[in-house]
């Protein structure tokens, strides 16, 4: 892992972006991140965001964009992120009607093919960011593997979220090896606890379940949880990963979202990056 190839998923500090978008981007750079993966622009013009990033020395690497938005406003959405200058556009999450085990999952497969083709025409790349539910089996095969088999690497690259791979019951380092050569960006995320009903409350989904099971599962700054990041990073490096993206869906351990982002950057820069 190279120090200049560490990015932050902006969703991690969304509370701060809402208050001071450009000031928060500046802090991200100050903490040692070289790139940022966006999750919405908070009403800001993409060209203005691109200019600000250039002035800060922060690379607008990629963007998480909802599947429905990509399908419903494909041309407009791609144009927005092309102006921003990102290389990767990422399907970040599937709402229940699109998940494996429903007819909508085939819609995702077909849609990913169309989106990938449209992005490729603009010199951009589509990725898919997994959670744990893609590790449901369909005829003995993980749904995530079916997606990557049905939509080839020329149209769809992986963005493996190593936390959710672990929660899905799979060794993250071994699974990263499986997609060597197809994983240009990897999500590094730490956690404590075990799979529970509060997981999606912590990412802003199913908020009603948050209080019922608070503490069963917790996202944590890197190095504060159960993940074996030396093994994960080694596997990703050997598989040709270009960027490592830190993500923490909710702050924890008494830290603010910005403090969590700073702790994670410090952990990587001092312990793993070269």
């Amino acid at each position: 892992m190279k120090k200049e190839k560490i990015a932050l998923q902006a969703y991690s500090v969304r509370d701060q972006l809402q208050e001071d978008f450009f000031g928060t981007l500046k802090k991200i750079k100050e903490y040692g991140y070289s790139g940022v993966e966006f999750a919405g622009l908070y009403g800001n013009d993409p060209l203005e965001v691109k200019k600000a990033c250039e002035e800060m020395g922060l690379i607008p690497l990629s963007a998480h964009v909802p599947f429905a938005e990509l399908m419903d406003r494909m041309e407009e959405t791609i144009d927005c992120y092309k102006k921003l200058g990102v290389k990767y556009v990422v399907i970040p999450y599937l709402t229940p009607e699109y998940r494996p085990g429903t007819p909508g999952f085939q819609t995702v497969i077909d849609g990913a093919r169309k989106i990938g083709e449209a992005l490729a025409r603009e010199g951009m790349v589509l990725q898919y960011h997994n959670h744990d539910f893609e590790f449901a089996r369909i005829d003995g095969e993980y749904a995530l593997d079916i997606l990557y088999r049905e939509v080839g690497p020329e149209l769809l690259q992986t963005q493996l979220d190593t936390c959710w791979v672990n929660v899905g019951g799979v060794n993250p380092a071994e699974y990263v090896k499986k997609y060597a050569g197809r994983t240009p960006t990897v999500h590094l995320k730490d956690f404590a606890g075990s799979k529970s009903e509060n997981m999606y409350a912590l990412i802003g989904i199913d908020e009603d379940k948050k209080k019922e099971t608070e503490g069963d599962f917790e996202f944590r700054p890197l190095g504060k949880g159960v993940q074996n990041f030396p093994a994960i990073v080694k596997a990703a490096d050997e598989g040709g990963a270009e960027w490592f993206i830190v993500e923490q869906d909710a702050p924890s351990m008494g830290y603010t979202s910005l403090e969590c982002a700073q702790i994670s950057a410090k952990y990587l820069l001092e312990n793993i990056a070269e």
Side-chain angles (χ1 to χ4, degrees), residues 9 29 38-39 60 82 104-105 107 141 156 159 179 183 185-186 207 217 229 237 249 251 264:
Q9 164 50 253
K29 177 61 179 178
F38 289 95
K82 184 179 181 181
F105 189 59
T107 302
E141 186 177 10
L156 180 65
Q159 184 182 78
Y179 285 101
T183 307
T185 70
V186 177
E207 288 285 351
F217 179 94
F229 288 114
D237 270 335
D249 301 76
S264 291

Side-chain angles (χ1 to χ4, degrees), residues 61-254:
L61 174 66
S62 48
H64 276 196
V65 186
F67 175 69
E69 181 179 339
L70 284 165
M71 290 300 293
D72 295 344
R73 300 188 299 278
M74 192 177 303
E75 185 176 336
E76 174 188 347
T77 302
I78 291 175
D79 181 64
C80 169
Y81 289 101
K82 184 179 181 181
K83 289 177 180 176
L84 179 58
V86 305
K87 181 176 181 179
Y88 303 104
V89 171
V90 189
I91 298 172
Y93 179 78
L94 298 180
T95 49
E97 68 271 23
Y98 290 119
R99 292 180 189 173
T102 72
F105 189 59
Q106 185 62 47
T107 302
V108 172
I109 292 172
D110 296 337
R113 194 175 291 112
K114 293 176 182 178
I115 298 165
E117 290 172 347
L119 284 167
R121 288 194 291 269
E122 300 297 334
M124 301 163 75
V125 178
L126 179 65
Q127 291 184 287
Y128 183 87
H129 170 274
N130 63 279
H131 287 74
D132 65 307
F133 49 75
E134 292 93 346
F135 289 93
R137 291 185 182 272
I138 300 175
D139 295 328
E141 186 177 10
Y142 290 136
L144 189 58
D145 291 333
I146 292 173
L147 172 64
Y148 289 135
R149 173 168 51 76
E150 291 292 318
V151 187
E154 71 282 359
L155 297 179
L156 180 65
Q157 295 282 294
T158 79
Q159 184 182 78
L160 299 179
D161 185 301
T162 56
C163 164
W164 292 118
V165 172
N166 193 332
V167 173
V170 179
N171 182 298
E174 292 303 315
Y175 199 71
V176 166
K177 290 178 184 177
K178 180 174 184 174
Y179 285 101
R182 195 177 174 177
T183 307
T185 70
V186 177
H187 265 217
L188 301 182
K189 183 188 300 181
D190 216 343
F191 71 98
S194 57
K195 189 170 183 174
S196 62
E197 291 190 16
N198 78 319
M199 295 187 307
Y200 291 108
L202 295 175
I203 66 172
I205 309 295
D206 294 338
E207 288 285 351
D208 58 319
K209 295 180 180 177
K210 187 171 184 178
K211 291 184 179 179
E212 296 174 14
T213 54
E214 194 95 50
D216 290 350
F217 179 94
E218 182 177 73
F219 297 112
R220 288 191 174 180
L222 302 193
K224 302 290 187 182
V226 304
Q227 292 276 65
N228 183 349
F229 288 114
I232 291 170
V233 170
K234 182 176 185 292
D237 270 335
E238 291 175 352
E242 299 170 7
W243 281 87
F244 294 84
I245 302 173
V246 172
E247 182 178 40
Q248 186 173 342
D249 301 76
S252 63
M253 305 180 71

Side-chain angles (χ1 to χ4, degrees), residues 8 13 24 26-33 256-263 265-266 269:
L8 181 71
V13 292
T24 301
K26 186 176 180 181
K27 288 183 182 296
I28 291 171
K29 177 61 179 178
E30 290 172 354
Y31 293 159
Y33 293 101
T256 67
S257 62
L258 281 172
E259 288 170 338
C260 288
Q262 187 174 25
I263 292 167
K266 188 172 187 288
L269 293 169

Side-chain angles (χ1 to χ4, degrees), residues 5-25:
K5 295 297 184 179
I6 299 173
L8 181 71
Q9 164 50 253
Y11 189 75
S12 306
V13 292
R14 58 192 178 281
D15 57 331
Q16 298 301 308
L17 288 167
Q18 289 170 350
E19 294 182 9
D20 182 2
F21 185 84
F22 293 101
T24 301
L25 290 180

